[in-house]
Amino acid sequence: MFINEKKLKRILVFCILIWPFIFLFPLSFGFIVVGNDFELIYFSYKRYIAEMLSAGVIPYWSPVEGSGMSLIFNPFAQYFYIPGWINYLIYFFTNNLTLHTYLIFTIFGFSIFSLGIFKWLRSFKINFYISFIVAIVIVCNLKLTELLRFPNAVHSAAWYPWILYGINLLLLDNKHLKGFLIIFISNFFLITAGYPYFIVYSIILFGFYISFICPLFLAHNNTR
């Protein structure tokens, strides 16, 4: 039985989401673990907040660092990053949040990034299969995967292509409401993901991108 093209495309889009887990299978299946500050800083905050919330306490302050410091404004804690609340839901239902579970959540950031790349390329009317291949290949580069030791960086970078996609919808496709919502939500996630460097870089990147895309926008309107 042959699969019709529409169904095949849906399967391929799903493959974009699961590909990072396949490519990083030694990590996904727990054969190796991530070093650096992954556990001591990033995971520790998630575990601490999850345990406090489970005990009915909303932790605004961390008393165990120095003489105490703000927790909600600490970028390592990702306090206002809504996708990160998945970790607290997992703890609520399982009464546990393991290092491997948090690693799976981090890898999922690459899935968000790859799907965003695919949607962004498709907004240029680039061939579906070419866009699919690019979305698969781009997550295999070392510069991207080495960010795994910085979960906040992974989930900050994940929203870059979605913002580019939103800009294209706004300027090239005249889908103003959808474009605005994607840009707004993606920027909110970028800001709250907790990696300040990428916020600064985004100002430069999106500034150059808008200056590049505006001539296309004017040309597109002149041909209508």
Side-chain angles (χ1 to χ4, degrees):
M1 181 182 294
F2 293 99
I3 301 176
N4 63 57
E5 187 175 9
K6 188 175 181 180
K7 189 173 182 180
L8 175 62
K9 288 182 176 180
R10 289 177 180 174
I11 294 173
L12 292 178
V13 170
F14 178 71
C15 288
I16 292 174
L17 293 175
I18 65 172
W19 171 247
F21 298 96
I22 298 173
F23 178 70
L24 297 169
F25 76 92
L27 293 163
S28 302
F29 290 94
F31 298 129
I32 60 175
V33 296
V34 179
N36 203 268
D37 296 327
F38 187 88
E39 179 178 3
L40 294 177
I41 295 181
Y42 298 98
F43 173 71
S44 296
Y45 279 111
K46 289 293 183 296
R47 179 81 187 198
Y48 173 73
I49 295 173
E51 289 179 353
M52 291 295 101
L53 292 176
S54 180
V57 178
I58 300 177
Y60 299 108
W61 187 262
S62 176
V64 297
E65 300 173 68
S67 298
M69 65 180 294
S70 172
L71 184 65
I72 62 175
F73 296 119
N74 186 331
F76 293 125
Q78 287 185 317
Y79 208 88
F80 299 105
Y81 182 58
I82 296 176
W85 295 357
I86 294 173
N87 294 288
Y88 311 138
L89 289 175
I90 291 173
Y91 189 92
F92 177 80
F93 287 110
T94 66
N95 198 34
N96 191 23
L97 179 63
T98 66
L99 190 64
H100 185 254
T101 301
Y102 185 54
L103 176 58
I104 294 298
F105 166 76
T106 304
I107 295 175
F108 182 64
F110 292 138
S111 299
I112 297 172
F113 179 86
S114 293
L115 184 60
I117 289 291
F118 173 79
K119 299 291 287 185
W120 172 55
L121 293 176
R122 288 292 292 152
S123 66
F124 281 116
K125 313 303 181 188
I126 294 175
N127 178 271
F128 178 94
Y129 299 102
I130 293 176
S131 301
F132 166 76
I133 293 172
V134 173
I136 289 293
V137 171
I138 197 169
V139 80
C140 299
N141 77 83
L142 181 61
K143 185 58 182 177
L144 191 63
T145 55
E146 68 96 16
L147 290 177
L148 267 176
R149 56 202 174 101
F150 305 124
N152 292 26
V154 172
H155 278 269
S156 294
W159 301 103
Y160 268 37
W162 287 95
I163 296 172
L164 298 177
Y165 172 54
I167 293 172
N168 281 12
L169 289 180
L170 197 64
L171 296 180
L172 301 182
D173 289 347
N174 291 318
K175 296 180 179 179
H176 299 139
L177 180 59
K178 183 178 180 180
F180 171 78
L181 288 175
I182 290 176
I183 293 171
F184 178 81
I185 294 172
S186 299
N187 267 298
F188 178 75
F189 287 164
L190 168 62
I191 292 170
T192 57
Y195 203 70
Y197 300 103
F198 284 1
I199 297 174
V200 176
Y201 300 159
S202 71
I203 297 172
I204 301 172
L205 170 64
F206 300 137
F208 276 113
Y209 185 76
I210 291 173
S211 66
F212 165 77
I213 209 74
C214 276
L216 294 179
F217 167 67
L218 295 175
H220 176 71
N221 282 349
N222 289 335
T223 57
R224 294 182 62 187

